[in-house]
Amino acid sequence: MVHLPSEGFLRLKDILGDSKSTPPIPAIIPVCKTTWYEGIKTGRYPKPIRLSQRSSAWRVEDIRQLIDEVTA
């Protein structure tokens, strides 16, 4: 299991993983970007918070809730 902070924000690469970074970032939710964004549109996955004009992130609390729903 990947360690999540108790609060704060996660970027998309933190959620979906990034095998090309050094060191590689393991996926919390192992889906592709297309599936993730389609899930946002349908309401399956949480909507991002806009941090700036070109930057979005997801609240850790929302990702924890998603994990709890999926594993229940």
Side-chain angles (χ1 to χ4, degrees), residues 34-51:
T34 303
T35 302
W36 181 257
Y37 283 115
E38 190 63 36
I40 292 170
K41 286 182 186 178
T42 63
R44 179 180 174 134
Y45 301 131
K47 292 184 178 183
I49 306 287
R50 186 63 97 176
L51 300 178

Side-chain angles (χ1 to χ4, degrees), residues 27-62:
I28 297 170
I29 310 292
V31 298
C32 67
K33 285 183 184 181
T34 303
T35 302
W36 181 257
Y37 283 115
E38 190 63 36
I40 292 170
K41 286 182 186 178
T42 63
R44 179 180 174 134
Y45 301 131
K47 292 184 178 183
I49 306 287
R50 186 63 97 176
L51 300 178
S52 69
Q53 186 177 11
R54 297 181 59 181
S55 178
S56 296
W58 286 260
R59 294 176 346 136
V60 171
E61 295 87 354
D62 293 341

Side-chain angles (χ1 to χ4, degrees), residues 2-36:
V2 177
H3 173 72
L4 293 175
S6 58
E7 58 184 33
F9 295 100
L10 296 171
R11 301 295 303 267
L12 189 59
K13 68 178 181 176
D14 298 321
I15 299 168
L16 303 184
D18 185 359
S19 61
K20 296 180 182 177
S21 70
T22 305
I25 300 170
I28 297 170
I29 310 292
V31 298
C32 67
K33 285 183 184 181
T34 303
T35 302
W36 181 257

